[in-house]
Amino acid sequence: MRFNFRSPRTLGPGAFSFSEASRLNRAVAGDRPRRMKLATLSVHAGAPQGPNAPITTPIVQSTTFRFESAEAVQRYARGESGLYMYSRDENPTVRAAESAMAALEGADSCVLFGSGMGAMTAAVMALVSGGDEVVAATALYGGTYKLLRDVLSRFGVKTRMAEPEALVDACARGGAKLCVFESPTDPTLRVLDIAAVARSAKAAGAVALIDSTFAPALVQRPLTLGMDLVMHSATKFLNGHSDHLCGVIAGRRDLVEKIRAVASRLGATLDAQVAYDLLRGLKTFAVRIERQCSSALAVARWLESQSAVKRVWYPGLPSHPDHELARRQMNGFGGMVTFSVGTREKAFRFWDRLKLIARAASLGGPETLTSLPILFSHTGYSAEELRRAGVDEGMVRMSVGLEDVEDLIADLRQALAAAAP
């Protein structure tokens, strides 16, 4: 069989294309005004459609593609042909994964990257120039904070940091081209009022960009709350298997296409094999995230009952400062739990004594992972920067996986007991 990977605009009889959310909705609902649920989209979005199409999206490993004529190249250059030239710029498997992610986010467009930091770097570089100002929340992933502090500052990009609860007012002051924040935040899991930040940024003429890595589509959909752009490290919950790096930017088409152009210049785009694995990971996304949210809530409740634990941060707990906002804004509370055992020494002893739960960076995979923010995401921070980020030296960040929750709690129990003075 000969596969045709061109866009739907140029497909002829007998060819297949990659699905879009609107087409899927029509296929399921017919003429009825009904939209498919996200769990269904995560399985079917991006899949090939048409006569005798394969069930699984093929991997198009080629770096380059044939043209039939000079005229075809000119049509390609004008964006009229739906053809492909070079996989750094576009690739059929990558475009299928972008289609799937756009459908999940309810976005006009999406571009994928070789890592989450590739996505954030390309987005900021596409949207600001030397002399422009970025407003950012102090509770920010360490990689993003260091990008703003150590790299973009060298090119004249200014950053104004604001406490999470002051971000709306900071945007309203005006003067910034871009507002960047996370919700929930890393690692304190603070929840920001996404709609309020989006309104404030829009009124001030700034683009609003949220890193929603800790809360993927089934947990929250920021674009429906007014955000211009949503970013994910798809390395985490979206891919879900701890085996590939990938980044996502989705949102307004005009902004996404600006970012896509910068991505091509930077060479930060995604490989076709990784795009295939992202699509495969998405097929189990709904069942994975539901299990992780459920287990995380159980673990958080147990931790909060332990005298050796000084504090637990989890949006699903009534003790969390943003619990009511999380209930209104989110469809679940996520798979991340953060807690403090009080001191650096106790945190090290606890961490070293874990047996089942892995000591590792990253999150969102099937294995439960723990990290110490002062050694991982927030290493290199000054004492004042740690304070502003809400990070203490006894803090442990946990990504809850797919294991039986009783086994996880048993491991936490023995490690806490072994770490006690």
Side-chain angles (χ1 to χ4, degrees):
M1 176 179 180
R2 182 180 180 183
F3 293 158
N4 187 331
F5 291 102
R6 292 179 292 172
S7 76
R9 287 176 295 174
T10 59
L11 291 173
F16 68 84
S17 65
F18 294 117
S19 63
E20 300 289 342
S22 59
R23 190 212 59 76
L24 285 170
N25 283 319
R26 288 195 301 271
V28 173
D31 295 328
R32 292 173 289 129
R34 181 181 181 278
R35 296 190 64 81
M36 284 197 306
K37 302 295 185 181
L38 290 182
T40 305
L41 281 177
S42 69
V43 174
H44 292 283
Q49 302 295 324
N52 204 222
I55 289 294
T56 300
T57 303
I59 304 172
V60 181
Q61 200 67 54
S62 180
T63 58
T64 191
F65 300 85
R66 300 177 189 272
F67 284 90
E68 295 179 0
S69 65
E71 192 274 334
V73 178
Q74 293 176 83
R75 286 191 292 111
Y76 164 85
R78 294 193 297 268
E80 298 172 358
S81 66
L83 300 176
Y84 298 88
M85 176 181 280
Y86 189 58
S87 281
R88 190 189 67 217
D89 298 319
E90 65 271 310
N91 172 278
T93 312
V94 175
R95 284 294 168 92
E98 289 173 345
S99 173
M101 284 306 310
L104 283 176
E105 293 295 339
D108 296 335
S109 187
C110 171
V111 57
L112 296 179
F113 298 81
S115 71
M117 280 309 302
M120 181 60 75
T121 301
V124 177
M125 291 186 70
L127 298 172
V128 301
S129 302
D132 289 341
E133 184 177 61
V134 177
V135 173
T138 53
L140 199 63
Y141 170 61
T144 303
Y145 177 66
K146 291 168 189 174
L147 169 71
L148 295 169
R149 183 191 70 181
D150 301 336
V151 179
L152 295 179
S153 61
R154 294 168 44 214
F155 300 94
V157 175
K158 298 174 286 187
T159 301
R160 174 159 42 100
M161 306 300 296
E163 301 293 334
E165 56 271 17
L167 189 61
V168 171
D169 291 338
C171 290
R173 282 174 50 189
K177 286 287 187 70
L178 178 66
C179 174
V180 179
F181 68 102
E182 302 172 359
S183 184
T185 62
D186 180 10
T188 57
L189 304 180
R190 293 297 306 273
V191 178
L192 281 68
D193 189 330
I194 295 173
V197 175
R199 287 194 300 269
S200 180
K202 183 176 181 179
V207 173
L209 167 61
I210 181 174
D211 180 344
S212 192
T213 296
F214 279 18
L218 279 168
V219 178
Q220 72 183 15
R221 297 178 89 203
L223 299 179
T224 67
L225 297 172
M227 293 299 298
D228 295 309
L229 295 167
V230 58
M231 173 264 177
H232 293 279
S233 174
T235 308
K236 279 68 172 182
F237 291 105
L238 292 166
N239 176 53
H241 289 80
S242 303
D243 58 1
H244 281 305
L245 299 175
C246 180
V248 176
I249 294 285
R252 277 175 40 193
R253 187 177 304 278
D254 60 326
L255 298 176
V256 171
E257 296 313 311
K258 277 186 181 180
I259 297 166
R260 190 188 304 279
V262 170
S264 177
R265 304 298 180 268
L266 292 175
T269 46
L270 193 65
D271 179 75
Q273 175 69 59
V274 180
Y276 169 86
D277 287 340
L278 172 60
L279 286 165
R280 184 173 60 180
L282 288 178
K283 291 182 186 297
T284 61
F285 169 59
V287 292
R288 286 188 288 103
I289 199 66
E290 288 171 7
R291 173 65 174 264
Q292 288 167 310
C293 288
S294 173
S295 295
L297 178 58
V299 167
R301 285 171 171 166
W302 181 85
L303 285 167
E304 196 169 48
S305 72
Q306 304 304 298
S307 60
V309 176
K310 305 306 178 186
R311 183 175 178 184
V312 180
W313 291 264
Y314 185 69
L317 296 176
S319 59
H320 190 282
D322 309 313
H323 176 64
E324 290 304 319
L325 173 60
R327 284 171 55 89
R328 297 194 305 271
Q329 183 171 276
M330 302 169 73
N331 299 315
F333 299 114
M336 301 298 298
V337 179
T338 299
F339 59 99
S340 177
V341 293
T343 68
R344 176 190 184 98
E345 293 72 25
K346 289 181 179 179
F348 283 17
R349 287 201 302 270
F350 162 82
W351 202 55
D352 288 349
R353 285 160 175 79
L354 291 168
K355 296 178 180 179
L356 171 66
I357 297 170
R359 292 175 289 273
S362 199
L363 55 111
E367 316 86 0
T368 296
L369 308 177
T370 55
S371 65
L372 303 178
I374 62 170
L375 297 184
F376 285 82
S377 60
H378 290 68
T379 185
Y381 276 45
S382 68
E384 174 60 20
E385 287 172 325
L386 288 175
R387 186 198 65 76
R388 294 185 71 189
V391 175
D392 73 56
E393 292 194 334
M395 186 176 281
V396 180
R397 191 191 77 178
M398 178 184 299
S399 168
V400 179
L402 303 180
E403 303 94 340
D404 190 288
V405 71
E406 292 184 6
D407 292 330
L408 297 177
I409 289 174
D411 195 32
L412 292 168
R413 180 184 289 111
Q414 67 82 24
L416 285 171

